[in-house]
Amino acid sequence: MFSLVLSGTAIGAQWPDLLVSGVPIHAIAGIGGWLTFTAMGVSYRLLAMFMLAPDSDARLGRLAWLAGIAALAAGAVGGVLALWRATGVNLALLLAGAAALLSLIAYGRDMLGLYRARKRRALELNTRMSLVALASLVAVAILGAVFLATGSLQSHVGALAFLVAFGWLTGLVLANLYKIVPFLTWLETYGPVMGRVPTPRVQDLVDERRALKWFMLFFAGSWAATLMLLVDEAPGFRVAVAVVTLATLGLGEELIRARRLADVSEPLRLPTGAVVPHLLVSRN
C-alpha cells in the first residue's frame, strides 16, 4: 500500500493519509504482530525448558493470546479500515493499546509463575537476563498506560518502540542465544563421544561472570537511550546507542568463544573423537 501511494496510481490516490497515518499500523503489525508474538511464543518453551518449570497456566496463556489477537485486529485491520473511510486511526489505536496492555499483563503473570514454579533454583545467566528483558516489557506496559491516560502517547511512541525493540526483543534474543549457542555447540562437539570419555558441562563453554558485564551494559544503554528519547536529548541518545552497540559486539564475541570452545579447560576441551565445530555451520 505504501508503494501504491508513492507510485501515484489511481488506487494509491484513494489513500492520501497512508504515508503518515499508516506508519503506526505498520509498526503494530511488524513489532507487535510478528516480533513480539514470536518472542512470547518462544519464551514460553525455552524458559520452561531451561528452568525445568512445569507447564504454564493455560488460562493466562489463552488470555494473552486472545487479547494479543484482538490488539492486532484493532490496530492493523481496524486501522486500515479507518484510513480507508478517512475517519482517523485514534480510536483503532486506543482499542489496540488497551487489548495489548491486557495481553502483556496476562503474559507477564504467566512468566512470573514459571520463575516461581521452577525446579532449577539457581538461575543461569540466560534466565536472569531474560527476566531483565521481561522487566523492560513491564516498563513498556506501564509507560504506555501512563502516556495513553495523559494523552501524550503520540509524542512518546518512538521511545516506547525503541524500548520494545531493544530492551525487550533484542535483550530476550541475546539472553536466549547465550544458552542456545553453547548448548548446540556442546551437542555437536561432545554428543558423539558422550558416555565414552569425560566431557565438559554446557556451562563450561561460557564464562558467565565475563558476559554479565556486557549484558549489564546492553540493558543500561537501552534504558538510557529510551530516557534520552523521552526528554528529547539527541547527543545523550547517540552515546547510549554507542554503549548498546559496544555491548552487542561484546556478547557476539562471547558466542564466538563458545563456538571455538575457548573457555573449556584443556583436559576436557577436545577428547578423542571430538572435533572443533565450524564457526557458523553445524557439522551435523
Side-chain angles (χ1 to χ4, degrees):
M1 292 306 299
F2 285 143
S3 299
L4 287 173
V5 173
L6 290 171
S7 68
T9 61
I11 297 177
Q14 300 177 19
W15 304 77
D17 298 329
L18 184 66
L19 292 180
V20 176
S21 301
V23 173
I25 302 172
H26 179 66
I28 288 172
I31 297 178
W34 165 232
L35 294 175
T36 297
F37 260 148
T38 300
M40 290 168 68
V42 170
S43 64
Y44 266 108
R45 178 58 58 195
L46 290 185
L47 290 179
M49 180 175 65
F50 293 151
M51 295 188 298
L52 301 179
D55 291 338
S56 59
D57 189 323
R59 293 173 300 175
L60 285 175
R62 190 178 299 109
L63 177 59
W65 179 54
L66 292 176
I69 291 176
L72 185 60
V77 180
V80 170
L81 291 176
L83 287 175
W84 178 53
R85 297 177 61 87
T87 57
V89 296
N90 288 339
L91 178 59
L93 295 181
L94 180 64
L95 293 175
L101 183 60
L102 177 60
S103 176
L104 294 181
I105 290 174
Y107 168 71
R109 289 193 61 183
D110 212 3
M111 289 297 102
L112 186 59
L114 285 181
Y115 274 88
R116 288 176 173 172
R118 72 185 188 276
K119 295 180 180 179
R120 177 172 287 172
R121 305 316 300 172
L123 292 177
E124 296 176 335
L125 183 60
N126 64 294
T127 47
R128 299 203 306 269
M129 293 304 102
S130 295
L131 191 59
V132 178
L134 287 169
S136 297
L137 184 62
V138 171
V140 169
I142 294 174
L143 289 173
V146 171
F147 295 150
L148 192 63
T150 58
S152 58
L153 180 61
Q154 187 171 0
S155 59
H156 292 131
V157 69
L160 291 181
F162 184 92
L163 189 55
V164 168
F166 288 89
W168 155 236
L169 291 172
T170 307
L172 186 68
V173 168
L174 289 172
N176 283 285
L177 278 177
Y178 188 73
K179 181 67 175 184
I180 293 170
V181 170
F183 179 66
L184 294 180
T185 302
W186 183 88
L187 284 177
E188 180 183 353
T189 305
Y190 303 109
V193 298
M194 187 172 54
R196 291 183 289 170
V197 296
T199 58
R201 303 171 304 163
V202 176
Q203 297 94 316
D204 295 331
L205 273 65
V206 295
D207 186 336
E208 291 194 352
R209 181 176 298 181
R210 187 179 60 232
L212 177 60
K213 69 176 184 293
W214 295 122
F215 276 111
M216 293 176 64
L217 273 179
F218 177 85
F219 285 110
S222 300
W223 297 335
T226 302
L227 178 61
M228 293 300 102
L229 286 175
L230 290 175
V231 299
D232 198 19
E233 185 62 41
F237 173 75
R238 295 189 183 101
V239 171
V241 168
V243 171
V244 171
T245 303
L246 176 64
T248 305
L249 292 174
L251 289 170
E253 182 189 12
E254 294 297 321
L255 299 181
I256 292 173
R257 289 181 64 87
R259 289 295 291 170
R260 291 304 188 198
L261 310 176
D263 292 312
V264 181
S265 59
E266 192 56 40
L268 296 176
R269 184 170 183 266
L270 282 176
T272 303
V275 182
V276 177
H278 296 303
L279 181 60
L280 297 177
V281 180
S282 175
R283 292 182 182 273
N284 50 11

